[in-house]
Amino acid sequence: MYSVKEAFYTLQGEGAQSGRASVFCRFTGCNLWSGREVDRARAQCTFCDTDFIGTDGQNGGRFADAEALATHLEALWQRPSDSASGNPSDSTGGRRYVVFTGGEPLLQLDPTLLEAMHERGFEVAVETNGTLPVPPGVDWICVSPKGDNKLVQTRGDELKLVHPQPGVDPRHFTGLDFTHFFLQPIDPAPGRIATDRAPMASVVDYCLRHPQWRLSLQTHKIAGID
């Protein structure tokens, strides 16, 4: 059984794959926070801006097995004949791409679901807090460390650190086995980053002084999409 908060077709908004057409699958649940505001202060991650409780989001639900969920996600992939304009588009370029996120997706993502997505021609990405091991077969691994929680997954394609976090120094991660290193300004409260420029200034300054790191923006929010 898989529990999915929401799933939708969109453009990846963050990191090295920013701008890429993707199916997002947000699993229910996390191992660092219950998702309830009353628990936030004592959670192991205190700045999450995502609702991952329940299965009542867009295209969310409970799925009995991997085939059922994979079929559901495949149906969300936009086909040329489905475009809003009705005009034909180029269907030859670009590979199907699915991003499993959360909450913490590795509480549910398993080899059976990976195989089912690969059989449907999808490249599979995961966005994880890094406290659980990634199963073999994932094509793109993005680790986003949260606080001082111990990282189990210390290699992958990109490490994306929300910054600044109290007590978290980016230098702690620079020796890990990742291809890309991103700093993303923390949003002190939903939408507050537009008026509170301190996090952005801190990230820009750090990237200028440490070129190993690159600026990551939540471009989906700028574009006004999911």
Side-chain angles (χ1 to χ4, degrees), residues 37 40 47-50 186-195 218 221:
E37 287 300 325
R40 185 185 288 275
F47 58 85
C48 183
D49 60 357
T50 303
I186 194 169
D187 193 354
R192 187 173 154 190
I193 195 170
T195 54
Q218 293 182 298
K221 293 184 178 178

PDB file of all heavy atoms in Angstrom, residues 37 40 47-50 186-195 218 221:
ATOM      1  N   GLU A  37       1.335  21.495  13.072  1.00  0.00           N
ATOM      2  CA  GLU A  37       1.965  22.703  13.609  1.00  0.00           C
ATOM      3  C   GLU A  37       2.251  22.581  15.102  1.00  0.00           C
ATOM      4  O   GLU A  37       3.240  23.124  15.595  1.00  0.00           O
ATOM      5  CB  GLU A  37       1.088  23.932  13.327  1.00  0.00           C
ATOM      6  CG  GLU A  37       1.104  24.369  11.875  1.00  0.00           C
ATOM      7  CD  GLU A  37       2.498  24.736  11.382  1.00  0.00           C
ATOM      8  OE1 GLU A  37       3.296  25.290  12.170  1.00  0.00           O
ATOM      9  OE2 GLU A  37       2.794  24.447  10.207  1.00  0.00           O
ATOM     10  N   ARG A  40       5.719  21.269  15.576  1.00  0.00           N
ATOM     11  CA  ARG A  40       6.840  21.851  14.832  1.00  0.00           C
ATOM     12  C   ARG A  40       8.011  22.217  15.747  1.00  0.00           C
ATOM     13  O   ARG A  40       9.180  21.947  15.422  1.00  0.00           O
ATOM     14  CB  ARG A  40       6.387  23.082  14.050  1.00  0.00           C
ATOM     15  CG  ARG A  40       7.499  23.666  13.165  1.00  0.00           C
ATOM     16  CD  ARG A  40       7.055  24.957  12.483  1.00  0.00           C
ATOM     17  NE  ARG A  40       6.089  24.757  11.417  1.00  0.00           N
ATOM     18  CZ  ARG A  40       6.416  24.457  10.150  1.00  0.00           C
ATOM     19  NH1 ARG A  40       7.682  24.313   9.816  1.00  0.00           N
ATOM     20  NH2 ARG A  40       5.475  24.321   9.230  1.00  0.00           N
ATOM     21  N   PHE A  47      11.467  23.839   9.612  1.00  0.00           N
ATOM     22  CA  PHE A  47      11.166  24.893   8.631  1.00  0.00           C
ATOM     23  C   PHE A  47      10.425  24.388   7.399  1.00  0.00           C
ATOM     24  O   PHE A  47      10.261  25.129   6.430  1.00  0.00           O
ATOM     25  CB  PHE A  47      12.444  25.611   8.191  1.00  0.00           C
ATOM     26  CG  PHE A  47      13.471  24.692   7.581  1.00  0.00           C
ATOM     27  CD1 PHE A  47      13.415  24.368   6.231  1.00  0.00           C
ATOM     28  CD2 PHE A  47      14.492  24.166   8.347  1.00  0.00           C
ATOM     29  CE1 PHE A  47      14.359  23.530   5.662  1.00  0.00           C
ATOM     30  CE2 PHE A  47      15.446  23.325   7.784  1.00  0.00           C
ATOM     31  CZ  PHE A  47      15.374  23.003   6.439  1.00  0.00           C
ATOM     32  N   CYS A  48       9.955  23.164   7.414  1.00  0.00           N
ATOM     33  CA  CYS A  48       9.280  22.597   6.254  1.00  0.00           C
ATOM     34  C   CYS A  48       8.058  23.444   5.870  1.00  0.00           C
ATOM     35  O   CYS A  48       7.282  23.868   6.726  1.00  0.00           O
ATOM     36  CB  CYS A  48       8.847  21.163   6.544  1.00  0.00           C
ATOM     37  SG  CYS A  48       8.062  20.347   5.133  1.00  0.00           S
ATOM     38  N   ASP A  49       7.895  23.679   4.568  1.00  0.00           N
ATOM     39  CA  ASP A  49       6.775  24.483   4.083  1.00  0.00           C
ATOM     40  C   ASP A  49       5.780  23.639   3.284  1.00  0.00           C
ATOM     41  O   ASP A  49       4.993  24.179   2.501  1.00  0.00           O
ATOM     42  CB  ASP A  49       7.272  25.653   3.227  1.00  0.00           C
ATOM     43  CG  ASP A  49       8.047  25.185   1.996  1.00  0.00           C
ATOM     44  OD1 ASP A  49       8.243  23.977   1.843  1.00  0.00           O
ATOM     45  OD2 ASP A  49       8.446  26.060   1.191  1.00  0.00           O
ATOM     46  N   THR A  50       5.816  22.316   3.489  1.00  0.00           N
ATOM     47  CA  THR A  50       5.020  21.408   2.658  1.00  0.00           C
ATOM     48  C   THR A  50       3.969  20.682   3.478  1.00  0.00           C
ATOM     49  O   THR A  50       4.245  20.209   4.581  1.00  0.00           O
ATOM     50  CB  THR A  50       5.952  20.375   1.992  1.00  0.00           C
ATOM     51  OG1 THR A  50       6.942  21.068   1.229  1.00  0.00           O
ATOM     52  CG2 THR A  50       5.157  19.460   1.075  1.00  0.00           C
ATOM     53  N   ILE A 186      16.359  30.109   2.668  1.00  0.00           N
ATOM     54  CA  ILE A 186      15.205  29.666   3.460  1.00  0.00           C
ATOM     55  C   ILE A 186      14.111  30.731   3.397  1.00  0.00           C
ATOM     56  O   ILE A 186      14.398  31.932   3.343  1.00  0.00           O
ATOM     57  CB  ILE A 186      15.641  29.398   4.928  1.00  0.00           C
ATOM     58  CG1 ILE A 186      14.565  28.632   5.674  1.00  0.00           C
ATOM     59  CG2 ILE A 186      15.991  30.706   5.645  1.00  0.00           C
ATOM     60  CD1 ILE A 186      15.031  28.106   7.032  1.00  0.00           C
ATOM     61  N   ASP A 187      12.874  30.264   3.353  1.00  0.00           N
ATOM     62  CA  ASP A 187      11.724  31.164   3.404  1.00  0.00           C
ATOM     63  C   ASP A 187      11.251  31.188   4.851  1.00  0.00           C
ATOM     64  O   ASP A 187      10.684  30.203   5.338  1.00  0.00           O
ATOM     65  CB  ASP A 187      10.610  30.650   2.477  1.00  0.00           C
ATOM     66  CG  ASP A 187       9.535  31.708   2.250  1.00  0.00           C
ATOM     67  OD1 ASP A 187       9.605  32.772   2.898  1.00  0.00           O
ATOM     68  OD2 ASP A 187       8.649  31.462   1.428  1.00  0.00           O
ATOM     69  N   PRO A 188      11.500  32.296   5.576  1.00  0.00           N
ATOM     70  CA  PRO A 188      11.176  32.329   7.013  1.00  0.00           C
ATOM     71  C   PRO A 188       9.723  31.991   7.316  1.00  0.00           C
ATOM     72  O   PRO A 188       9.407  31.442   8.367  1.00  0.00           O
ATOM     73  CB  PRO A 188      11.525  33.763   7.419  1.00  0.00           C
ATOM     74  CG  PRO A 188      12.507  34.223   6.381  1.00  0.00           C
ATOM     75  CD  PRO A 188      12.072  33.553   5.102  1.00  0.00           C
ATOM     76  N   ALA A 189       8.832  32.327   6.386  1.00  0.00           N
ATOM     77  CA  ALA A 189       7.409  31.997   6.471  1.00  0.00           C
ATOM     78  C   ALA A 189       6.906  32.014   5.038  1.00  0.00           C
ATOM     79  O   ALA A 189       7.509  32.661   4.183  1.00  0.00           O
ATOM     80  CB  ALA A 189       6.661  33.011   7.331  1.00  0.00           C
ATOM     81  N   PRO A 190       5.838  31.307   4.727  1.00  0.00           N
ATOM     82  CA  PRO A 190       5.383  31.257   3.339  1.00  0.00           C
ATOM     83  C   PRO A 190       5.251  32.628   2.693  1.00  0.00           C
ATOM     84  O   PRO A 190       4.483  33.473   3.147  1.00  0.00           O
ATOM     85  CB  PRO A 190       4.017  30.560   3.462  1.00  0.00           C
ATOM     86  CG  PRO A 190       4.156  29.697   4.668  1.00  0.00           C
ATOM     87  CD  PRO A 190       5.008  30.494   5.626  1.00  0.00           C
ATOM     88  N   GLY A 191       6.057  32.863   1.656  1.00  0.00           N
ATOM     89  CA  GLY A 191       6.002  34.111   0.929  1.00  0.00           C
ATOM     90  C   GLY A 191       6.813  35.253   1.517  1.00  0.00           C
ATOM     91  O   GLY A 191       7.010  36.293   0.895  1.00  0.00           O
ATOM     92  N   ARG A 192       7.325  35.053   2.726  1.00  0.00           N
ATOM     93  CA  ARG A 192       8.039  36.146   3.402  1.00  0.00           C
ATOM     94  C   ARG A 192       9.372  36.464   2.737  1.00  0.00           C
ATOM     95  O   ARG A 192       9.903  37.572   2.890  1.00  0.00           O
ATOM     96  CB  ARG A 192       8.250  35.772   4.868  1.00  0.00           C
ATOM     97  CG  ARG A 192       8.816  36.887   5.721  1.00  0.00           C
ATOM     98  CD  ARG A 192       8.834  36.476   7.178  1.00  0.00           C
ATOM     99  NE  ARG A 192       9.846  37.172   7.937  1.00  0.00           N
ATOM    100  CZ  ARG A 192      10.193  36.859   9.172  1.00  0.00           C
ATOM    101  NH1 ARG A 192       9.566  35.850   9.774  1.00  0.00           N
ATOM    102  NH2 ARG A 192      11.129  37.528   9.806  1.00  0.00           N
ATOM    103  N   ILE A 193       9.900  35.490   1.986  1.00  0.00           N
ATOM    104  CA  ILE A 193      11.193  35.714   1.340  1.00  0.00           C
ATOM    105  C   ILE A 193      11.141  36.890   0.374  1.00  0.00           C
ATOM    106  O   ILE A 193      12.160  37.506   0.050  1.00  0.00           O
ATOM    107  CB  ILE A 193      11.643  34.428   0.611  1.00  0.00           C
ATOM    108  CG1 ILE A 193      13.129  34.529   0.250  1.00  0.00           C
ATOM    109  CG2 ILE A 193      10.779  34.161  -0.626  1.00  0.00           C
ATOM    110  CD1 ILE A 193      13.694  33.223  -0.253  1.00  0.00           C
ATOM    111  N   ALA A 194       9.926  37.242  -0.092  1.00  0.00           N
ATOM    112  CA  ALA A 194       9.793  38.364  -1.013  1.00  0.00           C
ATOM    113  C   ALA A 194      10.101  39.688  -0.335  1.00  0.00           C
ATOM    114  O   ALA A 194      10.500  40.654  -0.993  1.00  0.00           O
ATOM    115  CB  ALA A 194       8.379  38.388  -1.596  1.00  0.00           C
ATOM    116  N   THR A 195       9.932  39.760   0.980  1.00  0.00           N
ATOM    117  CA  THR A 195      10.178  41.018   1.698  1.00  0.00           C
ATOM    118  C   THR A 195      11.360  40.929   2.645  1.00  0.00           C
ATOM    119  O   THR A 195      11.994  41.942   2.938  1.00  0.00           O
ATOM    120  CB  THR A 195       8.926  41.412   2.499  1.00  0.00           C
ATOM    121  OG1 THR A 195       8.539  40.318   3.351  1.00  0.00           O
ATOM    122  CG2 THR A 195       7.770  41.739   1.557  1.00  0.00           C
ATOM    123  N   GLN A 218      13.450  28.703  -5.923  1.00  0.00           N
ATOM    124  CA  GLN A 218      12.199  27.964  -6.115  1.00  0.00           C
ATOM    125  C   GLN A 218      11.463  28.600  -7.292  1.00  0.00           C
ATOM    126  O   GLN A 218      10.502  29.344  -7.127  1.00  0.00           O
ATOM    127  CB  GLN A 218      11.386  27.985  -4.836  1.00  0.00           C
ATOM    128  CG  GLN A 218      12.038  27.201  -3.692  1.00  0.00           C
ATOM    129  CD  GLN A 218      11.188  27.189  -2.452  1.00  0.00           C
ATOM    130  OE1 GLN A 218      10.905  28.238  -1.856  1.00  0.00           O
ATOM    131  NE2 GLN A 218      10.758  26.014  -2.040  1.00  0.00           N
ATOM    132  N   LYS A 221       7.630  28.806  -7.828  1.00  0.00           N
ATOM    133  CA  LYS A 221       6.873  29.857  -7.151  1.00  0.00           C
ATOM    134  C   LYS A 221       6.914  31.149  -7.956  1.00  0.00           C
ATOM    135  O   LYS A 221       5.923  31.883  -8.033  1.00  0.00           O
ATOM    136  CB  LYS A 221       7.433  30.074  -5.736  1.00  0.00           C
ATOM    137  CG  LYS A 221       7.213  28.876  -4.813  1.00  0.00           C
ATOM    138  CD  LYS A 221       7.699  29.165  -3.405  1.00  0.00           C
ATOM    139  CE  LYS A 221       7.427  27.966  -2.491  1.00  0.00           C
ATOM    140  NZ  LYS A 221       7.925  28.202  -1.108  1.00  0.00           N
TER     141      LYS A 221
END
